[in-house]
Amino acid sequence: MEPHTYALCCPPQITVPKIARDFVTSVLRSLDLRHITDSAALCTSELVTNSYVHTNRGGDSGSGIGSLLWLVVEPTLVRISVYDANPSAPAPRSARDDDEGGRGLALVAALADAWGHVRGGPPGLTARQGKGVWCELGTLRA
C-alpha cells in the first residue's frame, strides 16, 4: 500500500468529535484496516475533543478557529494528528472515579503504540503557533 494522507478541517462545534471519528472510520474501513478502526476512532475522538475543549473553552459559540485533523496511512502504521492554535502542551492528569473527564490521554496512551505532541502547524503549512497532538497505531495484524 502506498502512503495516503487525508485532512479534515474541524470547525469549533460540539459535533466535531463525532464527525472526525466517522471520517477516520470511513477512511480505515475503505482501506481494509478494520482491525484498528475502533481504536483509531476512539483515539481520534479523544484528541479532537481535547482540542475543542482547550482551544474553545468548551463553548459552542463558533468563536474559536477550530482544529485540523491530519491522518497519515502508511504500510505499517496509521498516524492521527490534531493541530490547533493553543500552544500549551497536552497535560495528562489522573481522574477520580467521579470525574466526568480527564481520561482522554490515558485512553490514547493505552490504545496507541505511541503518542506525543509537536509545536507548530501541520507539515507543509507555515503556522508557528499552536501544536499538534498525535498518536500512532500499527497496521499489521497480531
Side-chain angles (χ1 to χ4, degrees):
M1 168 188 355
E2 293 293 320
H4 295 82
T5 301
Y6 304 85
L8 178 68
C9 293
C10 301
Q13 300 293 318
I14 199 162
T15 57
V16 82
K18 181 191 181 325
I19 293 167
R21 188 172 57 242
D22 291 350
F23 174 77
V24 169
T25 297
S26 178
V27 169
L28 296 181
R29 284 184 179 163
S30 72
L31 295 173
D32 198 28
L33 294 171
R34 295 177 191 276
H35 59 287
I36 63 167
T37 299
D38 290 341
S39 294
L42 183 54
C43 288
T44 299
S45 186
E46 294 301 332
L47 295 180
V48 172
T49 297
N50 281 351
S51 175
Y52 171 76
V53 169
H54 297 291
T55 302
N56 301 297
R57 306 235 191 288
D60 195 25
S61 65
S63 61
I65 61 170
S67 59
L68 176 70
L69 170 65
W70 193 268
L71 176 65
V72 178
V73 182
E74 296 184 2
T76 59
L77 68 88
V78 168
R79 184 178 180 119
I80 302 160
S81 302
V82 177
Y83 293 89
D84 61 42
N86 183 337
S88 299
R93 59 186 177 108
S94 297
R96 297 185 315 257
D97 289 344
D98 59 343
D99 286 345
E100 290 185 21
R103 294 174 186 83
L105 291 176
L107 284 171
V108 171
L111 293 171
D113 295 315
W115 79 275
H117 73 282
V118 295
R119 290 181 171 226
L125 298 179
T126 59
R128 290 189 175 96
Q129 296 181 352
K131 66 164 173 326
V133 182
W134 58 268
C135 68
E136 294 178 344
L137 296 101
T139 61
L140 302 178
R141 297 179 193 260

